[in-house]
Amino acid sequence: MSRPVRASRLPRASRLLRWPVRAASILAALAVWQLLTAANVRLWVRFDRFPGPADVLHEFGRQAEHAQYWQDVAQSLVRILTGFALAAVLGVAAGVATARSRWAGDLLQPLFEVARPIPAIALVSVAILLFPANEQGIVFITFAAAFFPVLVGTRHAVKALPVVWEDAVRTLGGGRIRVLLGVVLPGILPGVFGGLSIGMGVAWICVISAEMISGDFGVGYRTWQAYTIVDYPGVLVGMATIGLLGYLTSAAVELTGRRLTRWLPREDRS
């Protein structure tokens, strides 16, 4: 009786050990960074003028005391969440439509395939022409960045559904709506959230780039402004803020996906 109990506890113990390992990897990277900057190392790259972790932490503390920093964070979050929400709704709808309907596929798929290779950041000039305000243009660029990963993930997920699932519902008298709500939408959730996770990462890249090019505020704008005045600790504070916000939003998407797909067989949910 002891072996089964021990086997059930081992996975939990291994999961608990992962967090100290992850924390140790970050602390080790910070320690190496501090040593390189403190020793003014100049090998392939130059650390003699590069700010160290202590300088960046001091600059972060200074910025955190001012409302401007938190206003920039809030504005970037509003932009990313607005564009991402639009991309999630329209991307899933377009993916299901093009995969389920031959007419929708013939009508929309060629347009999507022509537009998909165009980098979203290349649409900055188009956004300036189309939208009267920079805010709307940045949200549009964010939407365009996240839309195509969601679309492609959804379309492939729909096409990968076993035909027998739909046949079983139709045999029991279910119509199109019943198949859509009872088979298609639940069945494509893993693929949809895979596209959403990728889309969130790409959207952050593009929203920060758009803020640097045409924004008047936001984390990207403030990071670029720090670069123009040679404030390198401020640049690194902006980079760290972007990385943390990207991690938190992507983790929220993945956590939501795990909660909505609990019915899937999974060995490790950590």
Side-chain angles (χ1 to χ4, degrees), residues 75-87 142 200 204 249:
Q75 189 60 46
S76 293
L77 282 174
V78 168
R79 289 166 171 169
I80 194 79
L81 295 179
T82 303
F84 182 76
L86 291 172
T142 307
M200 178 61 80
W204 267 112
T249 50

Side-chain angles (χ1 to χ4, degrees), residues 100 158 161-176 178-180 182-184:
R100 297 278 301 174
V158 173
L161 288 175
V163 179
V164 67
W165 292 2
E166 181 175 347
D167 292 341
V169 175
R170 292 191 180 277
T171 302
L172 296 174
R176 283 178 170 268
R178 182 65 180 275
V179 171
L180 179 65
V183 175
V184 176

Side-chain angles (χ1 to χ4, degrees), residues 4-201:
V5 173
R6 185 178 181 182
S8 64
R9 290 179 178 176
L10 279 177
R12 179 177 177 82
S14 63
R15 288 197 299 269
L16 293 177
L17 288 175
R18 295 176 67 182
W19 292 105
V21 172
R22 294 175 180 179
S25 68
I26 296 176
L27 293 176
L30 292 175
V32 172
W33 177 12
Q34 179 63 38
L35 290 174
L36 291 173
T37 54
N40 294 324
V41 174
R42 296 189 64 174
L43 295 175
W44 297 279
V45 291
R46 301 183 302 177
F47 284 94
D48 53 334
R49 293 186 298 175
F50 199 77
D55 300 323
V56 176
L57 183 61
H58 179 268
E59 176 63 19
F60 172 76
R62 187 190 69 80
Q63 291 192 23
E65 295 176 353
H66 296 82
Q68 183 65 61
Y69 174 81
W70 301 107
Q71 290 172 0
D72 288 331
V73 170
Q75 189 60 46
S76 293
L77 282 174
V78 168
R79 289 166 171 169
I80 194 79
L81 295 179
T82 303
F84 182 76
L86 291 172
V89 173
L90 297 180
V92 171
V96 172
T98 54
R100 297 278 301 174
S101 171
R102 178 168 59 88
W103 294 106
D106 292 340
L107 182 64
L108 299 176
Q109 194 60 31
L111 299 176
F112 292 151
E113 290 303 314
V114 170
R116 186 161 64 94
I118 301 174
I121 196 60
L123 299 175
V124 170
S125 57
V126 176
I128 293 174
L129 293 174
L130 289 177
F131 298 98
N134 288 341
E135 188 68 19
Q136 298 170 349
I138 293 175
V139 171
F140 168 73
I141 293 168
T142 307
F143 159 78
F147 174 77
F148 290 106
V150 178
L151 168 69
V152 173
T154 301
R155 189 174 70 233
H156 286 301
V158 173
K159 291 183 177 181
L161 288 175
V163 179
V164 67
W165 292 2
E166 181 175 347
D167 292 341
V169 175
R170 292 191 180 277
T171 302
L172 296 174
R176 283 178 170 268
I177 301 300
R178 182 65 180 275
V179 171
L180 179 65
L181 298 180
V183 175
V184 176
L185 293 182
I188 66 174
L189 281 178
V192 168
F193 276 96
L196 290 173
S197 181
I198 297 173
M200 178 61 80

